[in-house]
């Protein structure tokens, strides 16, 4: 069972936020209106901002519980904006306070947890790259967070159900397509790497063959042998001189 004093402090803070900006609300105001002393407040919370932080953290748990039951990011995100709709003016004042990051972090955590789980559940049999799944989830996380923040800044005029349902309809199938592209690109990259390995192996073989032939016979000899012509034997110098003498005697008529 939740502590009744903590619940009373949170409820009172939300009531005050419906009336005025966060900067104008003090711990003294909360304590005076609840009839508790300051020590009681600080026993549970470090400051006003800790109350807001806890409020968003508890809602984050309920959003994750909804997704575990439905596997629907749309329903889960509608659950995430439920506290916003319930306390529109309060959330509006939080958004325009110095603690705007509490709201931003809440929405960022919600969308991140939901979208990562959703992307991981789509076509798990596809060998899409893990980093691509994370990138896709991060893209939708940032998109959803900023859409809701702009919606809050604009005064929350549009019904969140209409907005989120429309987003789901327009982008239906886009995550599946992105995962298929990741699978194709991964396969293509593997084929390129395999082709490069074959090419490198062939080049290495050619280099080895060239090295083996580095000490072979001269090209002329190779050509002669290939043509079937024997390489001429070297003539003895004495025989060459004798042949030359006989030729001169015949010419002189001796």
């Amino acid at each position: 069972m939740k502590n009744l004093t903590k619940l009373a402090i949170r409820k009172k803070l939300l009531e005050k936020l419906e009336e005025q900006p966060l900067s104008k609300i003090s711990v003294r105001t909360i304590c005076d209106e609840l009839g508790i002393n300051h020590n009681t407040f600080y026993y549970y919370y470090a400051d006003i901002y800790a109350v807001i932080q806890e409020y968003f953290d508890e809602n984050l748990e309920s959003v994750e519980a909804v997704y575990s039951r439905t596997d629907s990011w749309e329903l889960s995100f509608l659950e995430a904006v439920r506290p916003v709709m319930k306390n529109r003016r309060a959330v509006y004042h939080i958004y325009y306070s110095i603690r705007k990051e509490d709201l931003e972090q809440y929405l960022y955590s919600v969308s991140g947890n939901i979208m990562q789980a959703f992307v991981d559940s789509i076509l798990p049999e596809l060998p899409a790259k893990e980093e691509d799944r994370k990138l896709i989830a991060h893209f939708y996380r940032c998109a959803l967070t900023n859409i809701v923040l702009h919606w809050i800044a604009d005064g929350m005029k549009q019904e969140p159900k209409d907005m989120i349902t429309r987003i789901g309809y327009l982008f239906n199938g886009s995550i599946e397509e992105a995962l298929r592209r990741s699978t194709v690109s991964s396969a293509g990259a593997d084929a390129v790497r395999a082709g490069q390995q074959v090419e490198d192996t062939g080049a290495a073989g050619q280099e080895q063959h060239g090295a083996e032939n580095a000490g072979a016979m001269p090209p002329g000899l190779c050509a002669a042998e290939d043509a079937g012509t024997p390489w001429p034997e070297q003539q003895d110098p004495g025989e060459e001189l004798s042949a030359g003498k006989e030729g001169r005697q015949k010419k002189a008529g001796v």
Side-chain angles (χ1 to χ4, degrees):
M1 182 177 177
K2 294 181 180 179
N3 187 286
L4 295 179
T5 302
K6 290 183 69 175
L7 290 175
I9 292 173
R10 181 193 299 176
K11 181 180 179 181
K12 177 57 66 176
L13 176 58
L14 291 173
E15 288 176 359
K16 300 303 293 182
L17 280 169
E18 290 287 339
E19 302 168 0
Q20 55 191 319
L22 183 60
S23 60
K24 295 185 179 296
I25 303 172
S26 65
V27 173
R28 177 183 294 277
T29 302
I30 299 293
C31 292
D32 288 348
E33 295 196 13
L34 287 177
I36 60 176
N37 59 50
H38 289 191
N39 290 336
T40 301
F41 180 95
Y42 288 117
Y43 177 80
Y44 296 110
Y45 299 105
D47 50 31
I48 289 286
Y49 307 119
V51 184
I52 297 172
Q53 181 76 52
E54 183 184 72
Y55 175 64
F56 286 131
D57 287 345
E58 289 189 1
N59 277 286
L60 178 59
E61 294 176 5
S62 66
V63 172
E64 293 173 346
V66 169
Y67 183 80
S68 66
R69 294 195 308 269
T70 64
D71 290 334
S72 167
W73 74 262
E74 292 95 338
L75 290 177
S76 300
F77 215 71
L78 283 173
E79 176 67 16
V81 298
R82 181 181 57 79
V84 177
M85 296 301 297
K86 185 178 179 181
N87 305 282
R88 290 195 185 202
R89 193 66 183 169
V91 171
Y92 185 82
H93 281 142
I94 292 173
Y95 179 80
Y96 281 104
S97 74
I98 60 174
R99 295 293 293 197
K100 175 183 177 180
E101 65 268 20
D102 287 336
L103 176 60
E104 291 178 339
Q105 185 57 48
Y106 165 67
L107 293 172
Y108 191 70
S109 297
V110 165
S111 56
N113 295 346
I114 291 173
M115 292 313 303
Q116 189 62 64
F118 182 66
V119 172
D120 288 342
S121 70
I122 295 178
L123 301 175
E125 70 278 5
L126 282 182
K129 298 168 72 173
E130 183 62 26
E131 54 265 39
D132 284 346
R133 284 187 179 271
K134 291 180 179 179
L135 181 61
I136 294 167
H138 181 67
F139 173 82
Y140 280 93
R141 173 188 209 173
C142 294
L144 286 172
T145 299
N146 280 283
I147 285 173
V148 175
L149 286 174
H150 280 290
W151 170 70
I152 293 172
D154 195 40
M156 296 165 276
K157 300 170 185 175
Q158 184 181 6
E159 284 299 316
K161 182 177 180 181
D162 297 338
M163 176 179 65
I164 293 173
T165 301
R166 189 63 179 171
I167 292 172
Y169 172 76
L170 293 174
F171 288 93
N172 182 36
S174 59
I175 294 178
E176 290 91 332
E177 178 61 24
L179 291 174
R180 294 186 191 280
R181 286 176 180 269
S182 172
T183 302
V184 171
S185 65
S186 299
D190 291 341
V192 169
R193 283 193 292 269
Q196 185 63 47
Q197 289 176 352
V198 171
E199 184 177 338
D200 292 344
T201 302
Q206 290 179 355
E207 290 177 2
Q208 182 179 1
H209 182 68
E212 290 174 352
N213 290 336
M217 293 181 290
L221 178 57
C222 294
E225 288 187 348
D226 291 342
T229 305
W231 186 255
E233 297 181 358
Q234 185 175 3
Q235 194 172 21
D236 182 74
E239 292 179 357
E240 183 179 358
L241 290 174
S242 177
K245 182 179 179 180
E246 290 177 359
R248 286 194 300 272
Q249 287 176 348
K250 288 181 179 180
K251 188 176 182 180
V254 179

